[in-house]
Amino acid sequence: MTDWILRGGTVIDGTGAPRQRADVSIKGDRIAEIGTVSAAQGAGEIDVSGKVVAPGFIDVHTHDDRALFASPDMAAKASQGVTTVITGNCGVSLAPLALTQTPPPPLDLIGDAADYAYPRFADYLAALDRQPAAINAACLVGHSTLRVGAMPDLARAAGDAEIAAMGERLQEALDAGAIGMSTGLFYAPASAAPPAEIEALAKHLRHAGALYTTHMRDETEQVLDSLEESFHVGQAARVPVVISHHKTTGVRNFGRTKETLPKIAAAMQGQEIGLDAYPYIASSTVLRTQRIEDSLKVLITWSKSHPEQAGRELDAIARDWGVSVLEAADRLQPAGAIYWMMDEADVQRVLAFEHTMIGSDGLPHDVHPHPRLWGTFPRVLGHYCRDIGLFGLEVAVRKMTGLSAARFGLAGRGVLVPGAYADITVFDADTIIDRATFAAPTTPAAGIEHVFVNGQPVWSTGAATGARPGRALRRQQMRAEAR
Ligand code: ZN
Ligand code: CU
């Protein structure tokens, strides 16, 4: 029996192929037909004429590990048309780790000690099964999370026994269904890890057919060396590599994506490499002194010691307090911030690069988050695609669907084809736009009409439906389905 018929829309299938006018029918959790679909008894008909019917968007770069439980409607994402998130990026995953003391930054971005309550990755995935969210999740294991669980002193390379202990936990996670491992070599918990440590762990990924994603050691002066290092992990372990939130930051590095993108393209000739990006010139993470010096402006997103300062500029806080900017930053810790440190031309160059996927890097627990959390996908479609004309709509959709599913091994998702999972986003290409701003960062986007996950509506004309059909996607199951 057909459950839903999306009537008369413009289908953009996620492969980059030209749009076509077609009806789409949904049966159970799958797409049944695409073409001219005759009316069926009992099916819900939705007139989507004049609207685009696309695969549900895949947010390949998220920190939603705990948000899936804390905000199961996942409104920040569903409101943008996102139907699947990749969690555990930048070296930070909620599992496998059980903590009794405060997690070191940046682990504190996704939870407190009590939230790190999953000694095994299987426990985390089982919790997702028990309390499903509105949208799907495919999960990475964070290298920094492994380090915090296995090393008493993070300021040095892991010893052989520690690598073995991390390897065991990583293997358990891969066996449970994790899709890969992420690193955050830029951050203190992992910056002392030498390439050999990463490569030793990455070997577990090869046997599992999993991938490696990395927030590189450096996105400033040494960005080319960091690319080399990342490629080398892929070569040594023979695994696909994804360069996270690619950018070159700091005024001295403006324009340097002219060097990095050709380097990535050249390396892609010999190995599997992907990259993601978010559509903004400001970045966001924990509050870090070095980043302050590289930034044109800094906005505080949260502060444990001065929560009332969230949403204010660091300069203004320092002036109010009559102290230096660095002193103010010190007093605000632990804290998070937004940093204006990129060049618009670089952002556009990276977004337009053929192989770039879209990932929000949104921080769902920040008090005053970067607007990328609520705005990324509609901003790419409305601002960069329609208004600026950076690429066509078919290309834009592919960057958030088909390309992403192929790169991350999400079988049966990311393309609209009969038999695929019915993860579908219906949007208005003329009105879609992000409305989240740096001043009002949690404003939902305009132009997203209907969002289906596994055949069930989760977002409809501006509101969550309350349905929670999201699944914890396991690597083994997806590999079996891909065959
Ligand atoms: Zn990162
Ligand atoms: Cu990130």
Side-chain angles (χ1 to χ4, degrees):
M1 200 195 88
T2 302
D3 297 311
W4 293 97
I5 298 172
L6 307 180
R7 179 78 67 199
T10 300
V11 170
I12 294 184
D13 71 4
T15 65
R19 64 194 79 182
Q20 50 158 330
R21 228 194 119 124
D23 309 326
V24 175
S25 69
I26 300 171
K27 197 188 244 178
D29 63 356
R30 308 278 178 154
I31 294 170
E33 294 170 273
I34 300 177
T36 304
V37 175
S38 39
Q41 269 276 289
E45 285 236 7
I46 304 177
D47 176 9
V48 294
S49 52
K51 308 293 193 289
V52 172
V53 181
F57 306 149
I58 297 166
D59 189 347
V60 297
H61 191 109
T62 85
H63 297 285
D64 288 338
D65 305 45
R66 183 164 70 86
L68 291 160
F69 302 120
S71 329
D73 282 342
M74 291 297 286
K77 299 296 166 73
S79 64
Q80 299 183 58
V82 170
T83 56
T84 299
V85 291
I86 308 288
T87 65
N89 277 284
C90 297
V92 177
S93 59
L94 212 50
L97 183 62
L99 276 184
T100 47
Q101 38 343 7
T102 308
L107 273 70
D108 56 355
L109 286 175
I110 60 168
D112 294 325
D115 301 313
Y116 284 88
Y118 306 98
R120 300 176 321 141
F121 211 81
D123 303 330
Y124 173 74
L125 292 176
L128 277 179
D129 291 341
R130 277 196 310 274
Q131 308 166 61
I135 66 178
N136 305 309
C139 308
L140 298 162
V141 184
H143 167 245
S144 293
T145 294
L146 293 174
R147 281 193 130 228
V148 169
M151 297 178 66
D153 173 14
L154 299 167
R156 56 167 174 78
D160 288 344
E162 289 162 335
I163 290 179
M166 289 192 277
E168 252 174 60
R169 276 170 213 166
L170 174 58
Q171 192 58 52
E172 181 276 323
L174 293 167
D175 291 345
I179 61 164
M181 179 179 77
S182 74
T183 56
L185 299 174
F186 162 77
Y187 294 107
S191 58
E197 176 182 324
I198 312 302
E199 286 162 22
L201 292 171
K203 299 220 161 102
H204 291 265
L205 304 174
R206 181 206 313 162
H207 302 298
L211 86 170
Y212 173 64
T213 76
T214 180
H215 177 157
M216 300 193 298
R217 216 175 274 282
D218 191 280
E219 293 173 324
T220 63
E221 274 74 358
Q222 310 304 320
V223 65
L224 296 180
D225 293 342
S226 284
L227 282 175
E228 284 287 348
E229 178 182 6
S230 309
F231 300 159
H232 198 264
V233 172
Q235 290 160 11
R238 283 182 275 137
V239 294
V241 178
V242 172
I243 309 296
S244 294
H245 45 58
H246 182 53
K247 56 186 174 293
T248 56
T249 62
V251 181
R252 293 176 304 279
N253 301 298
F254 282 9
R256 292 195 63 203
T257 57
K258 285 184 197 156
E259 300 166 51
T260 60
L261 294 176
K263 191 174 175 70
I264 292 170
M268 285 180 85
Q269 301 299 314
Q271 66 186 112
E272 270 191 77
I273 298 170
L275 70 161
D276 60 73
Y278 51 79
Y280 297 87
I281 56 166
S283 67
S284 184
T285 183
V286 287
L287 184 59
R288 288 190 32 134
T289 314
Q290 191 236 318
R291 286 227 157 172
I292 295 169
E293 287 156 357
D294 280 349
S295 299
L296 304 168
K297 185 166 94 177
V298 176
L299 189 74
I300 299 303
T301 52
W302 59 274
S303 163
K304 278 260 161 80
S305 48
H306 293 276
E308 75 287 355
Q309 301 299 337
R312 297 195 68 212
E313 275 184 43
L314 181 59
D315 272 349
I317 299 168
R319 241 181 289 121
D320 282 2
W321 290 352
V323 300
S324 72
V325 163
L326 293 183
E327 170 65 26
D330 233 40
R331 292 190 192 176
L332 288 162
Q333 296 286 12
I338 295 170
Y339 308 86
W340 275 261
M341 55 189 327
M342 282 174 260
D343 185 32
E344 176 66 27
D346 283 315
V347 171
Q348 294 192 17
R349 204 174 287 120
V350 173
L351 288 174
F353 184 58
E354 186 188 345
H355 309 288
T356 303
M357 301 172 278
I358 307 304
S360 71
D361 202 6
L363 297 171
H365 310 294
D366 285 12
V367 175
H368 187 96
H370 188 304
R372 66 194 184 187
L373 176 65
W374 285 80
T376 289
F377 292 81
R379 183 169 169 81
V380 169
L381 294 167
H383 178 66
Y384 284 107
C385 172
R386 180 188 61 231
D387 296 347
I388 305 258
L390 196 58
F391 29 64
L393 195 51
E394 286 84 350
V395 169
V397 168
R398 176 175 174 265
K399 286 176 174 293
M400 44 186 81
T401 59
L403 178 63
S404 319
R407 184 61 66 202
F408 283 85
L410 309 182
R413 302 187 195 269
V415 290
L416 288 186
V417 61
Y421 288 99
D423 290 352
I424 299 174
T425 290
V426 178
F427 66 92
D428 185 330
D430 297 329
T431 62
I432 191 165
I433 198 69
D434 57 306
R435 290 189 303 195
T437 63
F438 288 96
T442 61
T443 316
I448 298 289
E449 311 261 332
H450 303 281
V451 182
F452 288 82
V453 174
N454 296 312
Q456 294 188 44
V458 298
W459 187 266
S460 189
T461 49
T465 64
R468 308 268 165 82
R471 296 178 188 165
L473 306 179
R474 264 89 165 174
R475 194 191 72 264
Q476 294 86 338
Q477 197 195 336
M478 293 190 284
R479 283 172 72 84
E481 287 183 36
R483 278 187 206 113

